[in-house]
Amino acid sequence: MLPTVTTFRDPLVEPLGKRVGDTFGKVLGLRTAGDLLRHYPRRYYTRGELTPLDSLREGDHATVLALVDLVSGHGTVGMSPERREKTGYRGRGPVTQRLEVIVTDGTGKLQLVFFGSTGHHARQLQRGAIGLFAGTVSSFRGRRQLVHPEYELLPATSTNPLVAGEIAEEFANELIAVYPASAKLSSWRISRAIDVILDTLEAGEDPIPAEVREKYGLWPIELAIRAIHRPTDRGDLKRARERLKWDEAFTMQAALAQRRLAAAAMPAVPRPPADAGLAVAFDRRLPFTLTDGQRSVGEVIAHELSCAYPMNRLLQGEVGSGKTIVAVRAMLQVVDAGGQAALLAPTEVLAQQHYRSITALLGPARR
């Protein structure tokens, strides 16, 4: 049986299942694997450098490397006497409602607090275990604590301090993607769903040609997608973002090119400039000389108005650079050729301003 492959176009219900896939569609409007993979993280959280326990302050988000020194429960925990002795657990009942763990780094102590179903944590956090603990520091009755911290225990077989240090550093420097989320879909659920997609992703043909990627040093699309969600370091993240920005620009330019091609296929009445007409008279009445830029873009527009397909141009310029004059000259060319022209403005105030200024410039021709 061939392994399952996921492409950008596949519905989310295929890799994630109907219930989860439908939830993403209803809550976030994400319906395909490509939609989900382009739901980029809004920021990245670094677990941070290891922090000595005696320097922790309330409100800090810290990552600490520490030794489990004491485990105690309040409520109920089902543990045999042998298990209690091995783990250092000091609970007083069969099932626990609150688990308290004291960890130390040799210079200070910190309390970890877990509520509710704490059996899993009680089994994991045995006395003598070494691990990294990440969370926001708070205080209760004068004691510093982390409530429901994230943690990762170092391998118990690693007695080499250099190996333990390497694992600790990798955990502490890991970049954690934080996604735009909602009450029904947390960042963690989104992250797990993306993991499922990435495990079987086959990106297919890259939309940016290989020669372009090579010329500008761009990553392939699949590598960029994987790195934007699971970067190994800030360098990977930078390169992934650079590539994906190219994708956004490429998609927009391709769409504009398709529109231009479609527009060029549509018929239009040619409106060539007249040797003597309103446009020529307008130029003579101008109380100033047109700039080189105005003349240059005016010639391009005049030429395309003379063609048998619609003229479609975006004229860009700073405020006061003379864009309105260019538009009026084009309109007069159309009128000289027997057509009609209208100038649209986004607001009533601007429309009134254009009416007054253009009326003054037209002079007798406005009749």
Side-chain angles (χ1 to χ4, degrees):
M1 182 176 178
L2 294 176
T4 302
V5 171
T6 303
T7 68
F8 288 130
R9 295 185 179 182
D10 288 342
L12 283 176
V13 296
E14 293 184 6
L16 302 181
K18 181 172 176 55
R19 183 178 62 82
V20 177
D22 287 347
T23 300
F24 273 92
K26 293 176 182 178
V27 177
L28 298 177
L30 308 176
R31 292 178 171 80
T32 67
D35 292 340
L36 179 56
L37 292 176
R38 290 185 175 86
H39 187 72
Y40 301 133
R42 61 184 176 88
R43 64 183 176 89
Y44 296 85
Y45 157 60
T46 305
R47 296 181 191 267
E49 297 180 356
L50 302 181
T51 308
L53 298 185
D54 57 4
S55 68
L56 294 177
R57 296 177 299 177
E58 188 172 355
D60 285 348
H61 194 96
T63 298
V64 297
L65 175 63
L67 171 76
V68 176
D69 186 50
L70 178 66
V71 182
S72 60
H74 300 267
T76 55
V77 161
M79 276 191 186
S80 65
E82 294 78 11
R83 181 71 170 173
R84 291 171 185 268
E85 178 62 27
K86 181 179 179 181
T87 62
Y89 187 79
R90 295 184 182 178
R92 294 173 294 184
V95 178
T96 243
Q97 300 300 324
R98 186 174 83 254
L99 183 69
E100 295 179 359
V101 179
I102 303 298
V103 297
T104 178
D105 69 344
T107 62
K109 293 188 176 183
L110 179 68
Q111 183 181 57
L112 314 179
V113 182
F114 302 88
F115 295 97
S117 301
T118 59
H120 169 74
H121 301 300
R123 290 189 295 271
Q124 292 289 319
L125 299 172
Q126 299 183 14
R127 185 171 58 191
I130 299 175
L132 282 141
F133 306 89
T136 301
V137 181
S138 59
S139 63
F140 181 70
R141 295 179 179 176
R143 302 177 68 178
R144 290 168 302 179
Q145 65 177 10
L146 301 179
V147 179
H148 284 288
E150 299 176 72
Y151 63 88
E152 184 165 312
L153 300 178
L154 302 189
T157 56
S158 180
T159 57
N160 186 334
L162 294 178
V163 174
E166 290 176 359
I167 297 172
E169 183 178 0
E170 180 181 351
F171 180 83
N173 293 330
E174 181 183 357
L175 293 175
I176 307 300
V178 179
Y179 294 89
S182 72
K184 294 184 178 180
L185 275 176
S186 67
S187 177
W188 300 112
R189 289 187 64 188
I190 296 170
S191 181
R192 287 195 293 269
I194 287 175
D195 282 341
V196 172
I197 302 297
L198 291 178
D199 284 344
T200 57
L201 177 65
E202 187 173 288
E205 185 177 358
D206 199 306
I208 297 182
E211 58 270 20
V212 176
R213 299 198 310 270
E214 183 177 353
K215 179 179 179 180
Y216 294 99
L218 301 175
W219 272 358
I221 182 61
E222 183 167 340
L223 183 58
I225 285 289
R226 293 184 182 277
I228 199 70
H229 292 290
R230 301 293 177 262
T232 56
D233 53 40
R234 295 285 177 181
D236 278 1
L237 183 57
K238 181 179 179 181
R239 294 197 66 180
R241 282 174 169 167
E242 181 180 359
R243 165 57 208 260
L244 294 174
K245 287 179 181 177
W246 270 74
D247 275 30
E248 293 177 1
F250 178 83
T251 301
M252 179 178 293
Q253 290 301 319
L256 292 176
Q258 289 176 336
R259 289 184 182 180
R260 287 194 294 269
L261 184 63
M266 296 173 61
V269 178
R271 306 291 183 181
D275 294 334
L278 294 174
V280 174
F282 177 78
D283 286 349
R284 291 173 180 169
R285 283 186 51 83
L286 287 176
F288 52 82
T289 302
L290 295 173
T291 66
D292 292 341
Q294 287 173 319
R295 291 188 179 278
S296 176
V297 298
E299 290 173 0
V300 172
I301 293 173
H303 168 72
E304 294 189 355
L305 285 173
S306 304
C307 297
Y309 56 83
M311 187 277 295
N312 183 15
R313 285 284 176 176
L314 172 64
L315 180 60
Q316 292 179 286
E318 297 179 359
V319 175
S321 60
K323 300 185 295 296
T324 304
I325 295 296
V326 175
V328 172
R329 295 179 73 231
M331 294 167 67
L332 292 176
Q333 177 177 327
V334 172
V335 173
D336 281 340
Q340 295 181 328
L343 180 69
L344 304 181
T347 67
E348 183 178 353
V349 172
L350 187 58
Q352 292 174 346
Q353 291 176 351
H354 281 320
Y355 175 77
R356 289 193 295 268
S357 62
I358 293 174
T359 299
L361 289 171
L362 287 175
R366 65 180 180 271
R367 301 185 180 88

